[in-house]
Amino acid sequence: MVYLNMDQALEDTAYFAQKMKQDFGLDGKWILIGASFTGDMTAWARARYPHLFHAAYSSGAPVQAQVEVAEYYEVVGRAYLDTDPLCYTVLEEGMLALRQLVQIGDAANITRLFNLVEDINVSVEDDVTLLYFVVTQIYGSLVQASTPGSLENVCSRLVSGQDNPLEAFAQVYRETIFNIPLRINASRLVESYRNQTDYSADITRQFMYQSCLEFGWFTAVSSQNQPFGPVVPIEFRLKFCTAVFGPEFTRERLEAGVERTNLLYGGKQPDVTRVVYTVGSLDPFNPVQMSEEPNVDAPVIIIQGASHCIDITSPASPDEPPPLAEARTRVVELLTTWLAEE
């Protein structure tokens, strides 16, 4: 883990380019392309090594390191509200009903509704908060990974069950995770991450490490301006840093790491040229992404109605929304222009 940091990743990127030039004669102009975390890498590598990388295309990149991104669920809430105000209401009422079940200690009903492996211990605060985190994360992911028409489908299913908001709320949750039963036990989850040393395709532990070390980006459900209520405080997210990686992973250490990251790479005001940034208006992470162009050679394209990195993660199609198609065309135009420059 000592090598798992952005400095090392950028050094590796530069080393790879140098070796490819040396071993295979790939001396043309290099363009970096990345989405989300690797969107940061593309922009930051271009800034650090302009002699190696001619230009970069950065999609959905959270360029501003920040301990807590409470705004994430505000964007999620607005997306549901704009899709159908009744949809927002069902989410609000469904979550409130779940919290009421917790208050009266009805673990059996919670287990049934949310298809848990075993009854949740509602007297353990961390387990209850973990349940809230898991459920809200699913509804957040439906916005973050949305495609044209997908939120309308989700809201249609929720609104059709508005007579029983909790049942509708739980059903959409279950269907989204393919009815896979989950175990809600915070201490057991901590142990699983603490003891995970073998290779796994699940990168949660590695990303948590970097989040605890230098980025933050923790999506606490703490704002009042979203449908789920303030149910997951930032303290709960940060508790995992110390519990999994050790007592030295404190909030103060993370704040220092966040400050260093923003100092090194400029946050939302980077000193960089020939980088094009794309930002989806439905991307819940857009509050920590680029919002204004730092200069004329670092354009920012806001894609209305687009989710997280959809311009890179989905193939182009003739019937895609015009703002998305226009953004793709603009990116190609910019890269073509930059390739003609020395």
Side-chain angles (χ1 to χ4, degrees), residues 6 14 22 34 48 74 79 97 105 123 168 172 184 187 217 246 270 315 322 333 335:
M6 182 56 75
Q22 174 185 317
R48 182 179 284 195
E74 294 180 352
S123 65
V172 171
I184 301 297
S187 61
W217 299 327
E333 289 173 348
L335 295 180

Side-chain angles (χ1 to χ4, degrees), residues 230-256:
V231 293
V232 182
I234 184 60
E235 290 76 18
F236 175 78
R237 302 298 311 276
L238 296 179
K239 189 182 296 185
F240 277 77
C241 295
T242 304
V244 174
F245 301 115
E248 67 273 23
F249 283 80
T250 61
R251 178 169 187 149
E252 290 71 26
R253 180 179 182 177
L254 172 56
E255 288 173 344

Side-chain angles (χ1 to χ4, degrees), residues 93-114 120 122-123 128 131-132 164 166-167 169-170:
E93 293 178 353
M95 190 66 184
L96 181 60
L98 170 59
R99 295 170 70 183
Q100 289 170 344
L101 286 184
V102 169
Q103 288 176 350
I104 64 174
D106 193 348
N109 246 331
I110 296 172
T111 299
R112 175 188 64 82
L113 285 163
F114 294 92
I120 182 174
V122 293
S123 65
V128 171
L131 172 66
Y132 294 155
N164 192 330
L166 179 55
E167 288 282 355
F169 182 67

Side-chain angles (χ1 to χ4, degrees), residues 61-76 78 133 144 207 211 215-223 225-226 232-235 237-238 251 254 258 262 268 283-289:
V63 295
Q64 178 80 26
Q66 190 169 300
V67 173
E68 178 180 6
V69 189
E71 304 97 321
Y72 180 98
Y73 284 99
E74 294 180 352
V75 178
V76 168
R78 284 196 300 271
F133 171 70
Q144 182 173 320
F207 189 68
S211 297
F215 300 127
W217 299 327
F218 287 111
T219 56
V221 192
S222 55
S223 169
N225 301 317
Q226 42 85 16
V232 182
I234 184 60
E235 290 76 18
R237 302 298 311 276
L238 296 179
R251 178 169 187 149
L254 172 56
V258 163
N262 291 329
K268 291 188 178 185
D283 186 347
F285 277 110
N286 68 36
V288 290
Q289 296 174 17

Side-chain angles (χ1 to χ4, degrees), residues 44 65 86 134-135 150 226 236 238 251 263 292 323:
W44 296 346
L86 277 176
V134 168
V135 173
S150 66
Q226 42 85 16
F236 175 78
L238 296 179
R251 178 169 187 149
L263 178 64
E292 298 179 356

Side-chain angles (χ1 to χ4, degrees), residues 7 12 14 60-61 80 94 103 121-123 155 187 201 218 230-231 236 253 256 265 272 289 295 300 302 317-318:
D7 293 298
D12 288 345
Y80 286 117
Q103 288 176 350
N121 189 341
V122 293
S123 65
C155 283
S187 61
F218 287 111
V231 293
F236 175 78
R253 180 179 182 177
Y265 306 116
V272 69
Q289 296 174 17
N295 61 71
V300 178
I302 308 296
S317 66

